[in-house]
Amino acid sequence: MSLWATAGVVALGCLIALEVVARRSAGIPGPLTEQAKETIFAPKPGPLYGGLALMMVVLTWRQRFIAAGVAIGIDVVFALVRWAIDAEVADGHCFGNGALWVMLGYAVIALTRRSGRERVLLLKGVGLGLLLVMGRQTGDTWLLITSKTRPTVLDQYLATADHALGNPSWLMGRIIQATDPIGTWLLGVVYAQLAVAAIVVMLYQLRKVRTEGRFPRHHLVRTFLLIGLLGPGIYMLFPVVGPVFAYGPGASGTGGVQWAVANLWPHTPPPLSAPHPMPYDEITPRNCMPSLHTAWATAIFIHTRTGPRILRYAGTFWLVATLGATLGFGYHYGTDLVAGVVFALTIEAALRSFDRGWDRSGIRFVTYGAIVFVTLLVSYRYLPVEMAEHPWVCGPLLMLAMASVVYGYVSVTGLRQPTAAPARRQEAQPEPV
């Protein structure tokens, strides 16, 4: 069985397992059920057309125009039917069914009308698009599971440890309020459209797939999906809702201040005291530790380093703006961001080492990155008071730990893409997603 087929089987197994976990532990439908609904019902806002765009990298230009036209046509029909019967839509969003139907249709075409390398390439494209779409459903399911199965959160521990960094979320929150509405609007767009930025980079990296007849050895899709797959597991171990929910007004309908320690964010940093686990509602996701927005933005930054100048500038801007948004909107503590950078670099290095073959330097760095990440989590949980009482020591130590991982990553990889294997080897061992 090829590596692509193995990856497909593993992905399907993970989705089935998550479906079972969601129904048994949280009493909610899982990602397979939710995705099946979107073939007929109005889809949630998400990367359905982004998935279609990724799939189309394996098509000719004529086939791309046809696929896009068919998808839009199907969506127009669905929208007219919903309007005629006055059907409800998710957050006013009613487009995306067409993209899903076209991807599924090309899967059928690949199995029934194609053969040999053309079938394999088309199936890889369909799989890539569907993986991105299912990644959204998987993430949504995980967030619901965290809110249903983790009744207490550890925000007080991170808020205490954040004293060592100078309470950056409180500082950025005040800056955002001072620059409202321009700052709020700009960072809001960056934060909400992170997936769009990632898809742009993915399309650039995969632009030659059709002409070369193969995928590059390493690209952003794999890193993006693996971060989203592993991150929620840490959410379950370290449930945190974020400053705006634990120390501020929260969001409408989530319980807000009645669940918060106090209404302190962003004007009054929390007082230094012994932290305790605190109960929270069953609606708000526990999705702060580590900051996956930071991890994804870091991955985008890395993968734009080998692109043209405009892409490099865009990657840098998106990283800086994402860091500002995650803190300024009160969604994350500074400690989350430090962990998110380490998390992303460790995963990225592991994938690159897998591509080029594991060597001593790759093994050492991945091991080191994992140790630093675990050490950060343990320190946040068991030493937050000590960190807060000695900010001039612990703050620089946190930044030094992150900087050491950044330095190690650059030393090992040089921010270069792994060298592609010879064409003959590619035929014998299809490159992984």
Side-chain angles (χ1 to χ4, degrees):
M1 181 182 292
S2 70
L3 192 56
W4 277 76
T6 302
V9 171
V10 172
L12 180 59
C14 290
L15 290 173
I16 293 174
L18 186 57
E19 183 81 25
V20 174
V21 171
R23 291 183 176 277
R24 290 188 175 181
S25 64
I28 57 176
L32 293 175
T33 301
E34 292 294 334
Q35 195 62 70
K37 289 180 181 178
E38 292 191 352
T39 59
I40 302 297
F41 298 102
K44 300 176 183 177
L48 282 165
Y49 272 93
L52 178 62
L54 284 182
M55 185 212 73
M56 290 196 295
V57 299
V58 303
L59 304 180
T60 64
W61 277 107
R62 179 177 178 273
Q63 291 169 337
R64 291 168 186 172
F65 284 121
I66 293 174
V70 171
I72 294 172
I74 293 174
D75 269 330
V76 169
V77 172
F78 270 86
L80 290 174
V81 172
R82 292 187 184 112
W83 174 76
I85 64 176
D86 196 25
E88 293 185 3
V89 296
D91 300 325
H93 185 83
C94 60
F95 291 98
N97 303 92
L100 182 58
W101 275 105
V102 169
M103 285 188 281
L104 295 175
Y106 266 103
V108 174
I109 290 173
L111 294 172
T112 60
R113 304 290 297 275
R114 300 290 186 268
S115 61
R117 290 178 58 85
E118 191 175 0
R119 171 189 286 179
V120 172
L121 188 65
L122 185 52
L123 285 175
K124 288 178 181 180
V126 172
L128 203 62
L130 290 177
L131 275 176
L132 186 67
V133 172
M134 290 302 302
R136 187 278 308 267
Q137 294 289 2
T138 300
D140 290 348
T141 301
W142 266 119
L143 295 184
L144 288 172
I145 291 175
T146 63
S147 63
K148 298 291 185 182
T149 62
R150 292 296 181 267
T152 60
V153 297
L154 303 179
D155 282 76
Q156 292 186 33
Y157 292 86
L158 291 190
T160 302
D162 232 31
H163 281 75
L165 297 173
N167 301 299
S169 180
W170 272 256
L171 174 61
M172 278 302 303
R174 294 194 295 274
I175 292 175
I176 293 293
Q177 289 188 353
T179 58
D180 188 62
I182 296 176
T184 302
W185 173 82
L186 178 62
L187 294 186
V189 170
V190 170
Y191 191 85
Q193 301 303 324
L194 181 67
V196 175
I199 290 171
V200 170
V201 178
M202 294 170 188
L203 292 176
Y204 173 78
Q205 291 182 323
L206 303 176
R207 68 195 184 281
K208 297 182 180 179
V209 168
R210 177 64 191 180
T211 56
E212 295 181 352
R214 64 182 179 86
F215 282 81
R217 292 292 295 173
H218 183 61
H219 48 82
L220 178 59
V221 180
R222 299 193 307 163
T223 307
F224 213 77
L225 291 174
L226 193 57
I227 287 173
L229 178 65
L230 298 179
I234 313 300
Y235 293 166
M236 299 293 286
L237 297 175
F238 210 115
V240 180
V241 293
V244 73
F245 297 105
Y247 292 92
S252 176
T254 63
V257 176
Q258 72 181 58
W259 291 99
V261 175
N263 191 5
L264 301 175
W265 186 89
H267 299 290
T268 306
L272 180 57
S273 60
H276 302 283
M278 54 182 283
Y280 213 81
D281 63 28
E282 295 185 358
I283 301 174
T284 308
R286 282 63 162 147
N287 61 337
C288 285
M289 177 55 68
S291 168
L292 293 197
H293 260 76
T294 298
W296 282 321
T298 301
I300 291 173
F301 173 81
I302 291 170
H303 282 265
T304 56
R305 294 309 90 195
T306 55
R309 181 177 298 179
I310 188 172
L311 202 62
R312 296 197 302 271
Y313 287 166
T316 302
F317 166 76
W318 222 269
L319 174 60
V320 174
T322 299
L323 296 180
T326 55
L327 292 173
F329 293 142
Y331 297 148
H332 288 282
Y333 303 91
T335 47
D336 304 339
L337 274 60
V338 173
V341 171
V342 174
F343 186 68
L345 294 178
T346 304
I347 290 176
E348 176 70 14
L351 288 172
R352 288 174 181 254
S353 295
F354 176 81
D355 289 331
R356 69 168 184 259
W358 289 94
D359 55 18
R360 181 176 298 178
S361 63
I363 294 173
R364 277 203 308 254
F365 175 76
V366 173
T367 302
Y368 176 73
I371 291 174
V372 170
F373 181 72
V374 172
T375 301
L376 290 174
L377 295 185
V378 172
S379 300
Y380 298 159
R381 179 63 176 84
Y382 297 104
L383 298 173
V385 175
E386 290 76 6
M387 294 171 67
E389 290 176 344
H390 304 88
W392 294 106
V393 175
C394 296
L397 282 178
L398 285 176
M399 301 307 296
L400 183 61
M402 182 180 70
S404 70
V405 175
V406 174
Y407 175 79
Y409 177 82
V410 174
S411 299
V412 170
T413 67
L415 292 180
R416 297 184 299 270
Q417 298 289 359
T419 302
R424 183 174 301 175
R425 183 182 174 188
Q426 294 289 339
E427 294 177 8
Q429 299 179 357
E431 60 281 7
V433 173

